[in-house]
């Protein structure tokens, strides 16, 4: 039997997300399934040094635009408490709804007066760390579930050094998150409006080129690859590496590269 708190949350979510077709249908399809409803609402996704991570779907214990937006409101509060002005770099991978969650986070930050620099397309996590430092941001967000199965997604926060947020900072962000109710307490604004007024800016090709140049600088023997005559088989595992890895390999002179076709293109279902 469901506890009153879980039942009340389920009822609240049905009311609040009724205009969100996907999430509303997700709830309706599971109505009557007490085990499933309990798993979705018996707790909230915890925010730690790795940020959020959970199964995609409707509920307080799921990854959706509401849990992501609330977490971002907490991050915004943290930044506004520590900095007079601040900026955040955002990147995302090929996971289901990664682009959606990125835009939701950007809209919340913009509504809280924080400048957002967002990647023009999906990118590997190291590119986000580089962007935070290159743009001198106070924080970064990477939407990814790393190695978890396809039904998961995640939301990772980074500090101004481009590294994962410290435990102390994450605890403070958590305290801010917990001050806000899931619905109606979160500031947000229209994404396209924030882009048009300059509060959300697309990260330029100059930064992407600078990242590539820094990768190339890590070479020790710069002429070996051109002369080796190697044949390379590469799989992006349906993720983010396809374009940057092929570009780097081509730049260092490795032209005989076979990309596994079944795993070449981004696919959140992999």
């Amino acid at each position: 039997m469901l506890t009153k708190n879980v039942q009340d949350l389920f009822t609240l979510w049905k009311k609040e997300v009724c205009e969100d077709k996907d999430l509303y249908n997700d709830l309706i399809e599971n109505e009557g399934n007490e085990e499933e409803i309990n798993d979705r609402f018996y707790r909230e996704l915890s925010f730690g040094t790795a940020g959020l991570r959970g199964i995609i779907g409707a509920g307080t214990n799921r990854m959706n635009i509401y849990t992501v937006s609330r977490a971002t409101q907490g991050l915004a509060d943290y930044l506004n408490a520590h900095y007079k002005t601040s900026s955040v770099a955002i990147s995302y991978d090929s996971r289901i709804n990664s682009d959606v969650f990125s835009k939701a986070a950007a809209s919340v930050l913009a509504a809280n007066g924080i400048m957002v620099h967002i990647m023009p397309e999906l990118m590997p996590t190291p590119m986000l760390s580089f962007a935070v430092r290159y743009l001198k941001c106070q924080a970064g967000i990477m939407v990814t579930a790393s190695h978890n199965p396809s039904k998961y997604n995640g939301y990772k926060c980074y500090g101004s050094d481009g590294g994962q947020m410290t435990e102390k900072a994450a605890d403070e962000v958590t305290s801010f998150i917990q001050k806000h109710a899931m619905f109606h307490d979160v500031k947000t604004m229209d994404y396209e409006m924030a882009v048009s007024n300059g509060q959300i800016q697309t990260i330029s090709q100059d930064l992407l080129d600078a990242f590539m140049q820094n990768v190339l600088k890590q070479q020790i023997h710069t002429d070996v690859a051109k002369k080796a005559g190697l044949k390379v088989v590469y799989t992006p595992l349906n993720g983010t590496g396809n374009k940057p890895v092929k570009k780097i390999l081509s730049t260092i002179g490795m032209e005989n590269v076979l990309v596994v076709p079944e795993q070449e293109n981004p696919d959140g279902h992999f």
Side-chain angles (χ1 to χ4, degrees), residues 16 37 46 56 61 78 86 88 94 97 104 126 136-137 185-186 200 208 224 231 247 261 265:
E16 295 291 347
I37 293 171
S46 60
I56 301 164
N61 189 33
Y78 167 82
S86 60
V88 176
S94 58
N97 286 343
K136 296 180 172 57
C137 296
D185 270 2
V186 176
I200 298 175
L208 307 182
V224 170
K231 182 175 183 179
K247 183 174 182 178
N265 295 319

Side-chain angles (χ1 to χ4, degrees), residues 207-222:
L207 183 147
L208 307 182
D209 291 341
F211 175 80
M212 291 295 184
Q213 289 302 313
N214 274 270
V215 172
L216 291 171
K217 287 179 183 178
Q218 308 313 308
Q219 295 180 94
I220 298 174
H221 301 292
T222 58

Side-chain angles (χ1 to χ4, degrees), residues 94-150:
S94 58
R95 293 285 185 149
I96 298 167
N97 286 343
S98 282
D99 56 339
V100 175
F101 296 157
S102 294
K103 287 184 175 181
S107 297
V108 172
L109 292 169
N112 283 272
I114 296 169
M115 173 65 70
V116 178
H117 302 278
I118 193 166
M119 289 292 178
E121 60 180 325
L122 70 172
M123 290 289 173
T125 299
M127 190 80 84
L128 182 278
S129 293
F130 181 82
V132 169
R133 299 180 68 164
Y134 187 90
L135 296 170
K136 296 180 172 57
C137 296
Q138 284 64 51
I141 297 170
M142 181 71 200
V143 182
T144 177
S146 302
H147 60 280
N148 291 86
S150 61

Side-chain angles (χ1 to χ4, degrees), residues 10-11 42 78 88 91 152 172 177 184 196 219 243 270:
F10 181 70
T11 301
Y42 82 99
Y78 167 82
V88 176
S91 185
Y152 285 80
E172 190 171 349
I177 292 171
H184 311 300
S196 67
Q219 295 180 94
K243 289 183 179 181
F270 54 93

